[in-house]
Amino acid sequence: MAAPYSEDLREKVMAALDRGEKKSHVRQMFNISRDTIDRWLKRREATGSVQAAQNYQRGHSHCISNWEEFRSFAQRYGDKTQAEMVQLWQFKISERTMSRALARIGWTRKKKPMATENGMKTNVLHS
């Protein structure tokens, strides 16, 4: 994610708009998008400031924080499918998150049992 625009630039844009400049002219002058100007105006109306948002979460939430505990969980329930493991995990978690977590610790998902009893058969060449 890109760094937020500086506070100085935000104040200059707002000052230009307060002077009566058109949004399209301000957009071109400062090389920012119209949507950015609209977001800043909405933020200033709601909070009284156009300061960048602070301390917001970047990326997805981290449902698994203790990886040693997760490794022991995976060993204990390694015979289960991912869907069953999701139900057994102590917190609400998606199957995709469970899949990523298992891959992170080096586990592969449980495969379906083979459809045939004998498994693979070798080809017998008749002479």
Side-chain angles (χ1 to χ4, degrees):
M1 182 176 207
Y5 287 109
S6 69
E7 189 72 28
D8 183 49
L9 175 68
R10 293 167 183 256
E11 290 172 5
K12 287 179 182 179
V13 168
M14 291 298 119
L17 291 171
D18 291 342
R19 284 193 310 267
E21 298 281 344
K22 292 185 177 183
K23 286 182 186 179
S24 58
H25 179 67
V26 172
R27 182 190 71 75
Q28 289 174 340
M29 187 171 30
F30 292 103
N31 194 27
I32 60 175
S33 74
R34 173 83 182 248
D35 287 339
T36 299
I37 293 173
D38 290 339
R39 275 195 310 274
W40 291 350
L41 287 169
K42 186 184 280 187
R43 182 173 290 150
R44 183 171 72 170
E45 185 179 310
T47 65
S49 171
V50 291
Q51 185 177 7
Q54 301 290 319
N55 301 326
Y56 59 92
Q57 179 180 344
R58 291 181 177 96
H60 60 82
S61 62
H62 303 283
C63 298
I64 301 169
S65 55
N66 185 343
W67 289 98
E68 290 305 316
E69 179 184 353
F70 184 75
R71 276 188 184 84
S72 67
F73 169 82
Q75 285 198 326
R76 189 170 45 247
Y77 297 110
D79 62 330
K80 307 285 186 198
T81 63
Q82 285 181 7
E84 292 169 332
M85 290 174 86
V86 164
Q87 298 299 318
L88 294 170
W89 185 242
Q90 57 192 351
F91 303 110
K92 184 176 176 169
I93 189 173
S94 70
E95 285 189 42
R96 179 66 184 123
T97 302
M98 180 64 71
S99 174
R100 281 193 309 264
L102 289 170
R104 182 173 175 178
I105 64 169
W107 284 63
T108 59
R109 66 181 180 86
K110 181 178 178 184
K111 311 300 189 283
K112 291 182 181 179
M114 294 186 75
T116 62
E117 275 185 27
N118 297 338
M120 290 180 52
K121 294 182 182 179
T122 59
N123 288 333
V124 179
L125 297 176
H126 298 287
S127 344

